[in-house]
Amino acid sequence: MTESEWRPECLILLMNSSDYFNDLCHSIATARLLLRKAHDNGCVIEGICLYVSIIDGFLRLAVIYSRTKNSPNHSYSFDKNFIRQDEGERTQSEKEIYDIAFREKIISEKLYKELREMYQFRNKVVHRFNISNINYTQVAEACTKFESIYHEIFDIVALLEHGPRGIPDASAEEMELFHSKALKKILGK
């Protein structure tokens, strides 16, 4: 698809048609705010968990955007469970999402390997911090590496979502909606 054929309004229609999709988008942005707070407070274990969650969400979006962009009429239907997991439901794991993104050539082999290593490190921190040789300094160093992976994935999603023109500035109304949804996600209200 050439730049002149790129029509981001197709993705806007997709986003407007799904509350779950919008919830995912707002949740990712909210998690990024929480990640910034974790960094500011030196909470690197929380940071590791948020990085994996954000990147997983980004890759789910990237798969949807890529499939939408590559479909004949620039539309793509997806199962709710691809972007939301309610109690008792199954969704794809982070590793399954990495596999899909790699198989569909959304991410490189190098990035795929880095994501799998990131996921394994996060699991070691969460499940075996007390019984392994890992230390807090290593977790802090990993946050720096995860930040560069975050930016690489962000750039992929931005290109798929907005095309070569880049990300437009958000309107005051969009920012107000984001802040409202972010507070709801953080405070549960």
Side-chain angles (χ1 to χ4, degrees):
M1 177 177 289
T2 67
E3 182 175 343
S4 62
E5 293 172 313
W6 176 244
R7 297 185 359 226
E9 62 272 11
C10 297
L11 297 175
I12 293 167
L13 289 172
L14 175 111
M15 290 190 305
N16 290 336
S17 67
S18 169
D19 287 339
Y20 295 134
F21 188 88
N22 286 323
D23 286 349
L24 174 62
C25 293
H26 287 110
S27 291
I28 292 169
T30 301
R32 184 62 183 180
L33 291 177
L34 293 171
L35 177 61
R36 187 175 309 146
K37 184 177 177 185
H39 275 284
D40 291 347
N41 293 328
C43 301
V44 295
I45 292 176
E46 181 179 359
I48 291 291
C49 295
L50 286 167
Y51 273 120
V52 172
S53 180
I54 292 166
I55 289 169
D56 170 69
F58 271 158
L59 286 175
R60 289 172 193 271
L61 293 177
V63 169
I64 291 169
Y65 292 150
S66 178
R67 290 177 179 177
T68 301
K69 180 180 170 190
N70 293 324
S71 69
N73 60 356
H74 302 294
S75 66
Y76 168 72
S77 296
F78 54 94
D79 187 64
K80 174 200 91 138
N81 291 340
F82 191 75
I83 60 169
R84 183 173 180 96
Q85 182 179 15
D86 289 322
E87 204 61 41
E89 294 178 341
R90 189 201 179 287
T91 190
Q92 285 83 10
S93 70
E94 290 93 340
K95 289 194 300 186
E96 289 171 320
I97 296 298
Y98 305 159
D99 292 344
I100 292 168
F102 176 65
R103 191 172 51 248
E104 296 185 15
K105 299 183 180 3
I106 296 168
I107 60 173
S108 68
E109 183 174 359
K110 177 184 175 286
L111 184 54
Y112 175 71
K113 288 178 180 177
E114 289 175 334
L115 288 168
R116 292 186 66 89
E117 288 172 12
M118 177 186 75
Y119 180 80
Q120 290 172 343
F121 185 81
R122 189 281 313 255
N123 281 353
K124 185 175 182 180
V125 169
V126 170
H127 301 292
R128 297 186 306 282
F129 184 81
N130 292 323
I131 60 171
S132 70
N133 65 346
I134 196 166
N135 62 55
Y136 210 66
T137 301
Q138 291 170 309
V139 179
E141 290 168 357
C143 279
T144 302
K145 182 178 178 183
F146 290 6
E147 179 70 11
S148 82
I149 293 171
Y150 162 87
H151 282 287
E152 193 170 347
I153 301 289
F154 179 87
D155 290 344
I156 291 168
V157 173
L159 182 62
L160 287 167
E161 181 180 11
H162 299 287
R165 292 184 205 109
I167 301 171
D169 292 332
S171 69
E173 182 181 283
E174 290 168 325
M175 289 305 295
E176 186 177 319
L177 176 63
F178 163 70
H179 288 292
S180 168
K181 292 212 175 233
L183 282 174
K184 183 178 179 184
K185 185 74 172 177
I186 293 169
L187 302 175
K189 297 179 184 177

